[in-house]
Every structure is written in C-alpha cells, then in structure tokens.
Amino acid sequence: MALIDLLGVHKHYDLQKILIDVNFHVDEGERIVIVGKNGSGKSTLMKAVSGQLSIDDGRRITKQDLEIKMLDQVPKFEADDSVRQAVERGLQELYDAKTRYDELSLQLADNFEDKLLLKEHSDISSYLDHHSAWSLDDKIERILVHFNLKHMETKPVMMLSGGEQRRVALAGLLLQKPDVLLLDEPTNHLDVYMVEFLEELILKEQYTLVFISHDRYFIDQIATKTIEVEDGALREYKGGYSDYLTQKAEYIRTLQKQHDNLLGMLKTENEWFARGVRARLKRNEGRKERLMQLREAAKTNPAMIRKMKVEVQREEKHFNREKSVNKQKMLFEVEKLGVTLGDKLLIKDFTTRILQKDVIAIVGPNGTGKSTLLKVLLGRIKPTEGKIKQGEFSIGYFDQHRELLEDSKNLIETFCPNGGDRVSVRGSNMHVYGYLKNFLFPREFLEKKIGTLSGGEKNRVALALLFTKNVDCLILDEPTNDLDIPTINILEEQLQNFPGAVILVSHDRFFVDKIAKKLFVFKNHDGLIEEEYQLYSEYLEDEKELREVASIVNEAQQSAPKKEVPKEKPKNIKLSYKENEALKSLPKEIDDLENKIDEINACLADPNCYEERGISDVADELTAVEELYETKIEALLLIEEKVEAIEAQKL
C-alpha cells in the first residue's frame, strides 16, 4: 500500500538545483536507504518526504491520517525531563489505548454481544498491534539497557552529551513506532552492539523506514530498496548495499555498451555530414541537430562511465591482508600497561608490540577506553602502570575536534601556509586543486573559509590535510563520522596505500573489515584487551554465537534434573525451541570444527603453510577454534543429558 508519493518534485536553493523532476514512493513495509555524496540532496529529499520542506514544484501525496516521525540531528527535549521521561514522552496515547482496551475487555465479559463495544475493542487491538504496544514497560526496559541508558535513566536529559541525547531521542521514536519512521544517520554514536540491537529491532517490528546512512553493513542488513541521489536525479536499486553495488556495476556496463553504440552511430553520422551540401538543406536540419547532440554525448559519457567505474571498483577491490612482519621496525613496545582515570579502570595489564606496517583497529563498546588507548600512545595521557617504549618516528593524528584546522583560513591557506598553490603528497608535487578534487572538492571551494564548511566537509579537509603530512604512523579516532560513502571509499583507498602503520578507533564494521589486519578488542568494562587476527564482522559473529551457546548451556543447566534429587521422576521436562534447534545443528558444527582443527594442525606441521600465514596467527586461530569446539561439546552433552531425562520420565 502506497503511504507517500512525491511526483515531479523540484527543489532549488538560490541558483543550485537540488532535486529536478523527481518521483519517490514509500510503500508500507519498505525500508528505503538514500545514498549519495554529501551535498547531493539526501537530506533535502528526506525533508521533502517528511513534509518539513516546501517544494518548488510537483506534488506530495500521503495516505490520510498518516503518522510520520523523523529523528532530528539535534533532538529537542522538555527542560525538566529525566532520561526515562524523555523516552516515555510521546507514548501516552499508547498507554491510554492499552488502558481502554483492558476496560473494554472487562465490559465485554458481561456484554459480549454489544456490537459497538466489539468494534471499539477490535479497532484498539489493531492499533496496539500496529504499534507493537502490548508490553511497553518491558520494551522500555529493554531499549534502555541495550542503548546503555539504564544507568542514567533518572539523570536530567539536558545534562547528557550530544551523542547520548541522540540515543534517547532514537529510543523514544522506536518505541512510538509511527507509520513511517525517518532516520538520518541512526548509527552515529552507537557502538556495534547497539547497532546489532537496532538491526534486530527494526527487522522484528517490521518498521516502514526511510533512512540515510554511511554504515554499509547496516544498509545491507536493513534496506529493501536503495535510492541514489546524483545530479538532481534519483536512481532506484532493489535491495541493500551489496545488491546496489552489483546493480550499479551492471548499469555501468550498460552505459559502456550504449557508449560503444553511440560511437558507431557517430561514425556513420560523420561520414554522412562530410559528404557536403545536402547536410545544409533545411529538411536535414533536424538530423544535423541530432549529430551535434551525439557529439556532445560522446564527449561526456566516457567521463561519467569512468567516474562511476572508479566508485564501484573502490568498493569491490579486496585489500591485501598479508602479514609480513619480518624485519619491520618497532614503533611501540607496550608492557603491562594499566590506566585508571578517577576511579574507573580503563586498561589493565596490556602487553603488545606495534610494528611499522601494522594496521590495527581498536574496537569495543562505548566507554571502555578505546580513545584513551590512543591518547596513551600519543603521550597525552600517562599510564597508571606499566610502560611504553617508543621508537623514533613521526605521527599524524586525526580526531573529531579537527585540531589541524583553523576556521579563519581558507583551503588554499590551509594546504599552502607558506604561499603558492602547490602541495607535496608523499613525494609528489601537486596543484592543491588537483589534490583536493580527489577528496571531492570542486574548484570554488578553494577560497572558502574553514569555518563556513559543514561538519562532513571539515572532516574531508582534515583527512586530506593529514595525508599531506610526511609521517610514519597515522592515529585516527572515528575517522568515518560525518563522511558520506564516496568519501569513506577515498579514505579507505588512501589508508590502503599508506606505507606506514595505521592505528584507528571505529565502530564502522565494513570500514574496519576493509582496512584492519589486526584488532585490539575491548570486550567488557574490565580493562582487558584481546588481540585478534580476523575480520571484525567475523569476530562479532563468533562472539554472538558463543553468547547463544552460553545461553543454551545456561538454559540446559537450569532445567536439567539435579542428580541429588530423590528417586521421584522429574515432571514436565522438555526441550526448548532453541535446544531442539541446537540438537539438530550442533553435531554438524562439531564435525566441521574437528575438520578445521585437523586442517590447522596440518598447517602447523607444514613450514610453507605457517610461514606464509604467520605461525603466531595460525596458533591463535587454533586456540580460538578449540575453545569454540569445547564450548559446543559442553552444550551438546548438557542437552543430551536433558534428552535422557525426558526419556526417563516417559517410563
């Protein structure tokens, strides 16, 4: 069912055309992501969908009484609200509906044939179903816990940071579940565990959703349709991010084929035009005009095709994950590092070595100490315990405060502080515009003051400036925040080509998977850090599986018969749905893990294999697989014990 239609919509600001004759439709149950470069019109389109923005031409049609709600970039709250009150504000209608439903249920118990009461009861039941509002108190508790707001629920919401306020606002909107939910960068200020919860909630509750995001795994998990905004037009692709890449690559191939056909037509037309006099006859003027159009298209199409090819290739290119550590210079040697700030233990007993070509992502939940570790490496925070030995090398640092930039300077002054218009980039002398266009800046930006740029534009400038520095090590704190996907692609390409070490903090799973060769994982709030050599997304999947296995083990232990229980037969023992599924899947998983263990042991016995993969990496992998194997064995044994107990009670 169509909920919102934009038909022939135009929107411009001053002389810049943002949307040109676009059509956009939202059907019930769709989850639509809007992608495109910063400044292409994504937010303008979102505001046109919401009705907050007046359009210059065209029509906006919505279903009658449609409830549309949008997550503001800067949320607004009642001044005296606590966190819990702010989350609950907007839910009163749902609470009132549940109260009325209970009243009607009691009345119908004595008067079950009253048609008016039955009709109202049915309508309210449908309303509560649509908003998933049958157990609001439980849902509030769950969302407060998963968004890490529970411990501050009585705190005034105005005392929170900007990121925390965004989480409060998002929680409230999700609980309200409007007919259409509009979210602009919903994963900003969420750690990966919060994003995982958000994904599960959106899919389970079947929201109708229009959103903007640079989180490519989130897009792939959530979106049923991708809308790309480019040059004032919209292009539609089915599915999420991986589908978008596949379909866009096919579109580029089609463009190339069309261009080849165009060249053939152009050759024929040129031969005709060269024949002379007849081309000047009035009856051929239309054909002549068509020739001019063909010539123009032949000039412009190849550039567009090349540009689009580069964008797709940036995404499809696999990065080199070889770990050659021999003869590498040591940058940091960390011994039994401990950091306590106030009464909070952030880092405990951490020992590691960081070498000149290491590419390390520091990951984990919000507030565990990731940025603190960066600042310790930078020498901005002194460790409470242990020591860090540092070699002789230079560091380039990027953080969200953009400390490299001065608002009063324009781009030319920023990149050429000593005058001129040339910049040195890793030994190459380039014109500053030639360099900045690689970061998607048009020529007219060169004279703009830094202070007039948007947050995303400032981040692009800061990153571009960072890569002009002659440094041996890059340290980056959340570099993808406020960047669009094309700019993240450029950042990834720059980092993959950087010859030195890279140490970064990020919650962006796709970005970390593409860049990092090693992970420093803050697992909990206990200060312990683990080193992992695997893709971050794989690590998270393994962690999730271990949690599920632990849950099964716990469930089995809780319900399994106690051995000291008297001879009396246990009653009503049965397997849960999760245990039944585990009983089916665990034997195959255990067999697979046994084969994997044999394969790794074979590698450890083969010098060619372990030298190529790195003996420490192979050994670490063996330890991880064996731990998972033992956990699954334990889970299966507990479930089989329970099965035996069930069989016994039948006797």
Side-chain angles (χ1 to χ4, degrees):
M1 178 190 296
L3 301 181
I4 303 173
D5 286 299
L6 300 182
L7 304 175
V9 166
H10 292 257
K11 182 64 186 178
H12 72 275
Y13 295 106
D14 297 325
L15 298 177
Q16 186 180 7
K17 294 180 178 179
I18 304 297
L19 300 175
I20 305 169
D21 194 26
V22 302
N23 298 313
F24 182 86
H25 314 282
V26 182
D27 291 335
E28 188 172 0
E30 281 191 312
R31 298 184 297 273
I32 303 171
V33 63
I34 304 171
V35 300
K37 296 175 186 173
N38 284 344
S40 62
K42 301 190 298 293
S43 295
T44 299
L45 178 60
M46 179 87 88
K47 289 174 183 174
V49 171
S50 72
Q52 295 178 13
L53 184 75
S54 62
I55 57 180
D56 299 328
D57 198 6
R59 290 191 298 160
R60 175 179 178 271
I61 304 169
T62 65
K63 180 186 172 186
Q64 189 174 4
D65 298 325
L66 189 72
E67 184 184 30
I68 304 171
K69 298 215 169 172
M70 183 170 176
L71 177 64
D72 293 324
Q73 284 290 341
V74 182
K76 298 178 180 64
F77 301 99
E78 296 294 325
D80 298 329
D81 274 357
S82 67
V83 167
R84 190 180 187 96
Q85 288 169 333
V87 169
E88 291 178 343
R89 192 170 293 280
L91 301 179
Q92 193 56 49
E93 285 186 24
L94 298 176
Y95 276 118
D96 291 346
K98 181 63 169 61
T99 300
R100 180 58 180 158
Y101 177 86
D102 293 340
E103 292 171 353
L104 290 168
S105 298
L106 289 173
Q107 292 176 32
L108 284 169
D110 298 325
N111 195 4
F112 59 87
E113 293 183 352
D114 188 315
K115 291 183 178 179
L116 289 177
L117 288 180
L118 284 169
K119 174 69 167 60
E120 186 181 358
H121 190 267
S122 175
D123 289 345
I124 292 177
S125 177
S126 297
Y127 174 78
L128 292 170
D129 278 342
H130 177 72
H131 291 278
S132 301
W134 291 103
S135 53
L136 273 179
D137 289 337
D138 290 343
K139 290 178 73 175
I140 290 168
E141 286 297 314
R142 187 163 173 251
I143 208 164
L144 286 173
V145 168
H146 282 282
F147 277 177
N148 198 24
L149 298 170
K150 179 65 181 173
H151 66 287
M152 58 179 81
E153 65 178 322
T154 59
K155 189 175 180 178
V157 71
M158 303 306 288
M159 298 290 290
L160 304 188
S161 69
E164 290 166 341
Q165 288 186 358
R166 285 260 301 175
R167 296 209 303 269
V168 171
L170 178 59
L173 281 181
L174 290 167
L175 289 164
Q176 292 171 41
K177 198 187 175 188
D179 297 323
V180 180
L181 181 58
L182 308 179
L183 302 177
D184 191 349
E185 294 290 1
T187 63
N188 275 4
H189 309 292
L190 303 185
D191 64 34
V192 289
Y193 303 99
M194 297 174 190
V195 173
E196 185 181 79
F197 167 73
L198 178 61
E199 290 170 350
E200 290 174 355
L201 182 64
I202 287 171
L203 294 174
K204 179 184 175 184
E205 300 289 356
Q206 300 180 330
Y207 289 81
T208 298
L209 181 66
V210 180
F211 67 103
I212 296 169
S213 180
H214 70 262
D215 187 327
R216 289 157 288 182
Y217 278 147
F218 180 75
I219 293 171
D220 210 42
Q221 182 77 359
I222 296 301
T224 58
K225 183 195 294 183
T226 301
I227 299 293
E228 185 175 38
V229 187
E230 187 174 32
D231 297 330
L234 308 185
R235 189 171 292 114
E236 179 179 320
Y237 301 90
K238 293 180 181 177
Y241 193 68
S242 56
D243 294 323
Y244 157 73
L245 286 177
T246 302
Q247 294 168 59
K248 185 164 182 176
E250 182 58 37
Y251 173 69
I252 291 170
R253 283 191 287 271
T254 303
L255 274 184
Q256 183 66 62
K257 186 177 178 182
Q258 289 174 348
H259 180 62
D260 292 342
N261 293 338
L262 184 67
L263 290 176
M265 293 172 63
L266 182 60
K267 182 181 178 184
T268 303
E269 293 294 85
N270 270 327
E271 289 172 354
W272 166 83
F273 197 64
R275 285 199 290 266
V277 179
R278 289 175 54 198
R280 291 188 289 273
L281 298 177
K282 187 174 180 180
R283 59 193 172 93
N284 289 321
E285 284 302 307
R287 194 176 183 194
K288 184 177 174 181
E289 182 180 348
R290 177 164 157 261
L291 170 60
M292 298 306 174
Q293 291 172 348
L294 282 171
R295 280 182 173 161
E296 192 61 29
K299 290 179 193 172
T300 58
N301 268 10
M304 181 169 66
I305 293 166
R306 282 196 300 273
K307 183 179 77 169
M308 295 177 74
K309 272 185 178 175
V310 167
E311 288 180 10
V312 173
Q313 285 167 354
R314 278 178 177 149
E315 286 299 326
E316 292 181 331
K317 184 171 68 176
H318 292 286
F319 61 96
N320 180 9
R321 299 185 63 83
E322 293 177 5
K323 306 180 193 74
S324 174
V325 299
N326 294 332
K327 299 181 181 177
Q328 287 188 32
K329 181 171 131 185
M330 191 275 292
L331 303 186
F332 297 98
E333 188 161 4
V334 180
E335 295 181 14
K336 296 187 175 299
L337 182 71
V339 178
T340 301
L341 296 180
D343 58 354
K344 187 173 183 181
L345 174 65
L346 293 174
I347 300 170
K348 177 181 178 182
D349 196 26
F350 181 50
T351 298
T352 191
R353 297 174 78 234
I354 299 174
L355 305 178
Q356 69 183 110
K357 291 187 179 178
D358 277 346
V359 183
I360 301 167
I362 303 172
V363 297
N366 282 346
T368 47
K370 301 183 299 296
S371 295
T372 299
L373 179 56
L374 289 188
K375 289 173 182 172
V376 171
L377 294 176
L378 287 163
R380 300 186 178 192
I381 293 178
K382 290 186 177 180
T384 314
E385 297 176 356
K387 58 183 178 180
I388 298 178
K389 295 179 185 175
Q390 184 173 330
E392 292 185 10
F393 63 95
S394 56
I395 297 174
Y397 176 53
F398 171 88
D399 76 337
Q400 292 304 298
H401 302 297
R402 311 179 190 100
E403 59 184 43
L404 290 171
L405 305 182
E406 294 181 34
D407 284 352
S408 60
K409 292 184 176 180
N410 62 27
L411 267 66
I412 288 278
E413 294 166 334
T414 298
F415 285 84
C416 307
N418 300 317
D421 56 7
R422 311 292 293 183
V423 62
S424 178
V425 183
R426 292 185 206 139
S428 296
N429 187 268
M430 303 176 67
H431 190 277
V432 66
Y433 171 62
Y435 175 62
L436 284 176
K437 72 180 181 182
N438 293 327
F439 288 83
L440 308 179
F441 284 107
R443 186 179 290 275
E444 57 267 24
F445 268 66
L446 294 181
E447 300 298 332
K448 281 195 173 185
K449 298 287 187 185
I450 299 294
T452 66
L453 303 181
S454 68
E457 288 165 346
K458 287 180 179 179
N459 271 7
R460 265 193 285 158
V461 173
L463 286 167
L465 187 59
L466 183 65
F467 287 109
T468 67
K469 307 299 181 186
N470 185 21
V471 296
D472 303 298
C473 175
L474 293 175
I475 294 183
L476 313 171
D477 195 355
E478 291 289 0
T480 64
N481 275 6
D482 294 321
L483 298 184
D484 53 28
I485 291 174
T487 308
I488 295 175
N489 295 159
I490 292 165
L491 171 60
E492 288 164 350
E493 191 171 16
Q494 292 283 338
L495 290 175
Q496 286 163 354
N497 293 327
F498 181 69
V502 177
I503 307 167
L504 60 92
V505 168
S506 180
H507 294 299
D508 188 325
R509 297 160 292 176
F510 197 105
F511 175 71
V512 171
D513 277 358
K514 283 183 77 172
I515 298 302
K517 298 177 183 177
K518 179 163 68 173
L519 307 176
F520 288 167
V521 184
F522 284 75
K523 294 195 70 169
N524 301 300
H525 291 263
D526 56 8
L528 295 177
I529 304 171
E530 293 184 359
E531 288 191 41
E532 298 284 346
Y533 291 89
Q534 64 180 130
L535 294 174
Y536 189 29
S537 57
E538 290 176 357
Y539 169 82
L540 291 169
E541 284 299 316
D542 290 348
E543 187 183 44
K544 184 177 181 181
E545 186 175 2
L546 285 170
R547 288 200 305 268
E548 289 173 353
V549 168
S551 172
I552 292 169
V553 169
N554 184 58
E555 193 174 333
Q557 287 174 335
Q558 293 292 327
S559 54
K562 307 287 184 211
K563 293 188 178 171
E564 64 270 17
V565 175
K567 302 174 184 179
E568 172 186 349
K569 294 178 186 176
K571 303 293 182 184
N572 299 324
I573 301 173
K574 61 181 182 178
L575 294 183
S576 69
Y577 172 79
K578 188 184 289 186
E579 288 171 325
N580 269 311
E581 291 301 303
L583 191 60
K584 295 175 190 173
S585 64
L586 279 172
K588 171 70 166 57
E589 292 174 17
I590 289 167
D591 285 344
D592 290 344
L593 288 170
E594 286 175 347
N595 292 335
K596 185 68 174 174
I597 290 168
D598 290 342
E599 176 191 319
I600 298 171
N601 279 321
C603 182
L604 285 171
D606 180 357
N608 291 331
C609 179
Y610 66 67
E611 284 176 7
E612 179 183 349
R613 293 172 58 183
I615 190 167
S616 62
D617 294 350
V618 178
D620 288 345
E621 184 182 6
L622 178 62
T623 301
V625 174
E626 285 177 338
E627 286 177 1
L628 184 58
Y629 174 77
E630 293 297 329
T631 306
K632 287 182 181 289
I633 287 284
E634 183 184 356
L636 182 60
L637 289 174
L638 284 167
I639 294 171
E640 287 178 343
E641 277 184 26
K642 193 171 176 183
V643 170
E644 289 174 7
I646 292 169
E647 292 300 320
Q649 75 181 359
K650 292 178 182 176
L651 299 177

